[in-house]
Amino acid sequence: MTDVLHTVENGVSWITLNRPEAMNALTWDQRERIIALLAEASAAPDVRCVVVTATGRGFCAGADLRGAPSASGERVAGDVARMIRQGAQRFIAAVMDCEKPVIAAVNGTAAGIGAHLAFACDLVLAAESARFIEVFVRRGLVPDGGGAYLLPRLIGPQRTKELMFFGDAVPAAEAHAMGLVNRVVPSEALEKTAREWAERLAQGPTRALALTKQLVNASLDVDRSVAFTAEATAQELNMTTRDAQEGVASFVERREARYEGK
């Protein structure tokens, strides 16, 4: 499938949206392919990090519903909510639930579900030309794809309302200042920086990173007691891994750790 390019290099799964003529507006087929690739990355021992990026000038201009399977019969109450649960929300959850670190390398405009795709990733790199748009209000729509869950946790409720109420484009530098983006780089340096970050993560203790991701993602939804219990359990599980044993041994032996991702 050429609308989504995929390669695995040096332990990194590269997932690239490839509809530059449509600013990489997300089709049903692309969404399903990316969900499948994220599930494969979780299960594949040779994949230890994921990068999501795109070709052309746009990262993802939002959802393109023209490629969706056509519904038969009259729409009834509950159909839209079911479509959102099984579509946009399932897509964003697949990113957040992937057991490997996921980096967004945002090369251009990220609007609607495209913006939420980036914000669901663990780390966000943005080209100087990138911009982020909560475009839903421009269409008279409620933000979906987890936006009202993700953004308040990243930038707080008031900033979130500003972005969602007005739907203005946020340049990469401003997004970085808000805390939506980890780093902004020149467009020509985006792939190189993403590769450096991804390959560094791919050499790390993969299961420890997966457990760390789970702890951080859950932390804002639970109280201290639950968070502390989850932390202790995660460390208990992690100490059974070879990488944890290697990390401790390397410290004792005063040498650099050599992690295998196991």
Side-chain angles (χ1 to χ4, degrees):
M1 177 181 177
T2 57
D3 284 354
V4 177
L5 306 178
H6 180 241
T7 59
V8 176
E9 304 171 33
N10 298 323
V12 181
S13 174
W14 288 80
I15 300 173
T16 305
L17 291 166
N18 187 40
R19 294 181 69 226
E21 73 285 354
M23 294 288 283
N24 292 302
L26 189 72
T27 66
W28 186 92
D29 287 337
Q30 285 177 303
R31 184 193 75 202
E32 294 304 305
R33 176 63 173 151
I34 293 170
I35 290 172
L37 288 171
L38 290 166
E40 289 174 15
S42 288
D46 61 327
V47 173
R48 297 169 67 183
C49 185
V50 178
V51 176
V52 179
T53 190
T55 58
R57 296 183 300 109
F59 177 71
C60 177
D64 184 348
L65 300 179
R66 287 171 294 184
S70 57
S72 58
E74 183 183 355
R75 176 181 289 172
V76 298
D79 283 353
V80 172
R82 189 179 310 106
M83 178 184 69
I84 296 300
R85 287 196 304 270
Q86 296 177 355
Q89 290 177 352
R90 180 167 143 265
F91 177 59
I92 296 303
V95 179
M96 299 181 71
D97 294 340
C98 181
E99 295 179 30
K100 309 298 166 65
V102 183
I103 298 173
V106 183
N107 54 298
T109 297
I113 192 67
H116 299 169
L117 168 60
F119 300 151
C121 292
D122 303 303
L123 299 170
V124 183
L125 291 169
E128 290 173 345
S129 58
R131 51 189 201 141
F132 301 85
I133 312 173
E134 286 297 316
V135 74
F136 300 93
V137 70
R138 300 186 186 182
R139 312 287 182 257
L141 300 174
V142 171
D144 60 35
Y149 176 87
L150 290 165
L151 268 75
R153 287 162 170 77
L154 293 168
I155 59 174
Q158 288 182 311
R159 280 296 191 112
T160 296
K161 291 170 189 173
E162 180 183 344
L163 298 188
M164 291 184 170
F165 286 3
F166 293 114
D168 293 335
V170 179
E174 187 177 342
H176 178 259
M178 284 185 183
L180 290 170
V181 169
N182 290 89
R183 186 176 297 179
V184 178
V185 298
S187 297
E188 61 273 16
L190 181 66
E191 182 179 344
K192 177 177 181 289
T193 306
R195 191 173 299 276
E196 289 171 354
W197 279 29
E199 292 184 358
R200 182 176 174 186
L201 288 170
Q203 294 171 9
T206 306
R207 295 312 303 164
L209 292 175
L211 290 165
T212 301
K213 174 175 177 171
Q214 291 171 13
L215 287 173
V216 173
N217 283 354
S219 66
L220 295 176
D221 298 322
V222 299
D223 61 27
R224 186 186 69 181
S225 175
V226 173
F228 277 23
T229 299
E231 176 187 278
T233 301
Q235 195 69 289
E236 175 79 24
L237 292 170
N238 185 62
M239 288 306 295
T240 67
T241 67
R242 279 192 280 186
D243 280 350
Q245 294 162 22
E246 163 64 10
V248 173
S250 68
F251 174 76
V252 172
E253 297 166 14
R254 298 184 179 182
R255 59 174 174 80
E256 189 170 344
R258 295 181 293 274
Y259 296 120
E260 303 174 34
K262 300 177 182 177

